[in-house]
Structures are given as structure tokens and as C-alpha cells.
Amino acid sequence: MNVLITSVSRKVSLVKAFSRALSEEGGGMVIAIDASPKSAALYFADKAYIVPAGLGENFRDIVQNICVKNEIKLLIPTRDEELPFFARERERLNDIGVCVMVSSSHAVKICQDKGLFVEFCLKHGFSVPKTYKETDIVFDFPLFVKDRFGKGSKSAFRVNSKPELDYFLNRLKDPIVQEYVEAPEYTVDLFVDFAGNILSVVPRQRLSIFGGESFIGRTCKNWDIINESMRLAKALNLIGHNTIQCFLHNGQVKFIEVNPRYGGAASLGFAAGAFTPRMLVRLVLCREVKPCVGDFKDNLHMLRYTDDIFVDEDKMKQIAHFIE
């Protein structure tokens, strides 16, 4: 069984995780693709391709050809911009024997639109940080302002005064204004099979964040977070591995967003006992995967660090021209 991981960029740990999962389930290759030969994770895959940037017709045809040529059985999208594309193309790829780990177009749309996500949560009885409307005049500072379609921490800011608020309201394309929540922040790695059954849920507290990703974290077996995350996943009809972010504020779980894909720090959940890459491989191979919700090592800490690899330019050129 061979696996294709898209937009691998720096996701070395994810490539390694699927290599391990395949080796534990009988073998297979991890094929990685990216638009740049300077993406470190390409050099940890069994085979790598450079593909065009963007998501045009050319990209679709190239991905399909790579899948056919390499007998791909499982495709893992990892970039937010790709998720709507692969949600639309899921059936087409399934017709050639490729299982795509992506939720429905409807679920992806809600998760990627922070305004729609707030509306969905309120409609279905989930708590979110208080969200202000444009007509609200009285604000309780500090506040949190983020772009409706922003990613990570690039378009999210704490504001402490009306002049700061006015500045960011003019700067951001489609701003959302919320209360600033002073509470522990958690990421939940939640895995759902293709029939909608939740198999694992691992909350991890974000102790140190850089560039929107958790660099120091610890697993936390909090059943309020686990149960509310399961309820949210079922309401959204999520599948595959999902990254849910929330606060635990005065005993209440307040959801921030859902990224319906693998997150950068998912390896903490893997190490704690919820090795979802292997679960996913087993599902595609039609092997039994038993639910293990809550069955993970509590208070396991993750301390992430950067590492270096050194690649000759000739090797980069070989990968860059591999598909020509």
C-alpha cells in the first residue's frame, strides 16, 4: 500500500509517521509532493515529486497521474487551501482506487470560514468566545480581532483600545471581533473513520506557541473537552484526523476553530498512544480498528525543536525535474 502526502513542506514528522505505519502494516511507500524542491520533508519520503503551485486543471491531472503511476491507495492533503479542492475531487479519485482523507465540501467550508463556524456553533449549542456585531457600540477591552479567512496567528491580534481596534478593523479584509479569553488553550487531535465513528480523541494543552503552532505542549485527559469535541465532530460530520482548538474557560469549553487535517504538533498524540496514521492505513486495508477514546498517556510533554538537513543542489534538481 502506498500513501501520497501533499504539500509536505516541513512536515517531516508526518512523513516519518506514515512510513512507520506502513512498515507496521506490511510495507509500502510514502510519496511526497510539494511546489518547492527546498521543502525538507521531500527528502524523507520514499519518492518525491515537484508539482505546480496552485490548484488548476494541470494540478488535478498531475496528482491523478502520480496516483496511478505509484498505485496510491491513500492521499493525505495537508494544506488548508487544498482541502476544498480535494473534497470536490474525492469521488473522482475514489474511482481510480484512491481514498482521500478529507471531510465533505460542506464541512470544510464551515471549518475554513470563521464567521460560518461561529454561526454553526451557536446554532448547535456549542460555546464560542463572545463575538461582537458591527452594530455593537460598547466593547470590553482587551478584545481579539482576527480575519474571517485567516490562518494561524498571521491575521489574529489582541487589541487593548479603541484606536487599536479601529486600526485592525481597517487593516483586515473581513475582521471578526471577539472577547479576549484569558484561559488555558487546547488543541484536540480527533480521529474519525469513514463511517463517522470516532476512534480517538487526545486533548493537548498549548503551553508555548510560535507561528500559530504549538512547540511545547502536554496531553490532558479532560473529559469535558473530550466529550464536547466528540459532539462537535458528529455535528460537523467530520472524517479522518482533525485538529480542534478551544479554550477551557471557567469550566466551559469554548471552541475557536477546526482544521480538518493533520496539525503541526499531531505527533504528541501519536506518542501518547493514539497513532492515527496506523489507524488510517488499517482502515484503507479493511482491517479492524477499535475505538480508543480516552486511551492515551496523560501529562505527556512535547518539546519541539528545529533540525537541519543538508542537500546537494544536484539532488534538488533531480527531484525538481523528476516528473518532466
Side-chain angles (χ1 to χ4, degrees):
M1 175 177 162
N2 298 332
V3 176
L4 176 64
I5 304 178
T6 69
S7 296
V8 289
S9 186
R10 298 178 289 109
K11 305 177 185 81
V12 174
S13 61
L14 189 63
V15 172
K16 288 183 174 180
F18 273 95
S19 293
R20 174 189 152 195
L22 288 171
S23 69
E24 292 175 352
E25 291 297 327
M29 293 193 302
V30 173
I31 290 84
I33 62 174
D34 201 276
S36 170
K38 296 180 181 178
S39 298
L42 290 172
Y43 301 94
F44 291 84
D46 298 296
K47 189 182 290 187
Y49 296 100
I50 301 302
V51 298
L55 299 168
E57 288 287 329
N58 194 34
F59 177 79
R60 184 184 71 182
D61 293 342
I62 286 175
V63 168
Q64 184 167 310
N65 290 338
I66 289 173
C67 288
V68 172
K69 181 177 181 179
N70 293 280
E71 299 181 334
I72 299 297
K73 296 298 181 187
L74 173 63
L75 188 152
I76 310 293
T78 70
R79 185 165 60 95
D80 289 331
E81 292 81 0
E82 292 177 339
L83 298 181
F85 171 86
F86 281 111
R88 292 192 304 270
E89 296 293 321
R90 183 172 60 178
E91 293 303 319
R92 181 193 295 267
L93 289 164
N94 189 60
D95 288 342
I96 61 171
V98 181
C99 179
V100 184
M101 194 205 78
V102 66
S103 293
S104 69
S105 294
H106 179 67
V108 169
K109 181 179 180 180
I110 292 172
C111 292
Q112 294 193 332
D113 182 331
K114 293 177 174 60
L116 281 181
F117 180 72
V118 168
E119 291 176 8
F120 179 90
C121 286
L122 294 176
K123 180 179 178 181
H124 291 82
F126 298 101
S127 295
V128 294
K130 181 180 178 181
T131 304
Y132 293 91
K133 299 178 181 178
E134 293 182 8
T135 54
D136 290 331
I137 298 175
V138 179
F139 296 104
D140 186 13
F141 292 99
L143 294 170
F144 195 71
V145 182
K146 58 187 178 183
D147 192 272
R148 181 174 178 177
F149 299 99
K151 292 173 56 180
S153 60
K154 293 180 181 178
S155 301
F157 309 92
R158 170 178 168 149
V159 296
N160 298 300
S161 65
K162 186 65 165 60
E164 284 187 9
L165 176 61
D166 291 339
Y167 171 78
F168 286 112
L169 290 179
N170 291 322
R171 175 180 171 182
L172 298 178
K173 185 177 180 180
D174 198 349
I176 292 176
V177 181
Q178 294 183 315
E179 66 173 321
Y180 187 85
V181 180
E182 292 276 5
E185 185 177 350
Y186 294 83
T187 295
V188 183
D189 289 306
L190 183 146
F191 184 75
V192 190
D193 69 15
F194 296 106
N197 302 304
I198 297 173
L199 301 182
S200 71
V201 187
V202 181
R204 44 185 169 87
Q205 187 177 0
R206 291 156 64 92
L207 300 176
S208 177
I209 302 168
F210 180 77
E213 286 190 8
S214 176
F215 268 68
I216 300 177
R218 70 176 182 92
T219 56
C220 182
K221 197 171 292 188
N222 182 294
W223 283 99
D224 290 334
I225 296 175
I226 291 172
N227 289 328
E228 275 297 276
S229 297
M230 291 175 65
R231 198 166 69 88
L232 179 62
K234 290 177 180 177
L236 285 166
N237 293 316
L238 298 175
I239 64 168
H241 189 109
N242 299 272
T243 307
I244 301 172
Q245 288 181 232
C246 63
F247 292 111
L248 187 60
H249 186 220
N250 296 328
Q252 186 177 45
V253 179
K254 292 187 175 183
F255 290 109
I256 308 169
E257 64 181 21
V258 175
N259 294 309
R261 55 167 174 77
Y262 278 101
S267 54
L268 175 55
F270 303 166
F275 190 33
T276 65
R278 187 176 184 183
M279 294 181 194
L280 194 50
V281 168
R282 289 185 63 84
L283 289 174
V284 176
L285 291 171
C286 298
R287 296 173 182 169
E288 183 184 14
V289 181
K290 295 181 179 180
C292 56
V293 175
D295 186 14
F296 63 89
K297 187 173 182 180
D298 197 12
N299 288 313
L300 180 66
H301 284 69
M302 173 190 65
L303 312 175
R304 297 176 76 188
Y305 67 98
T306 58
D307 200 357
D308 309 309
I309 64 168
F310 306 94
V311 182
D312 291 330
E313 189 165 346
D314 288 343
K315 187 173 182 180
M316 281 191 183
K317 289 179 179 179
Q318 288 172 9
I319 294 181
H321 292 86
F322 196 90
I323 63 173
E324 292 184 359

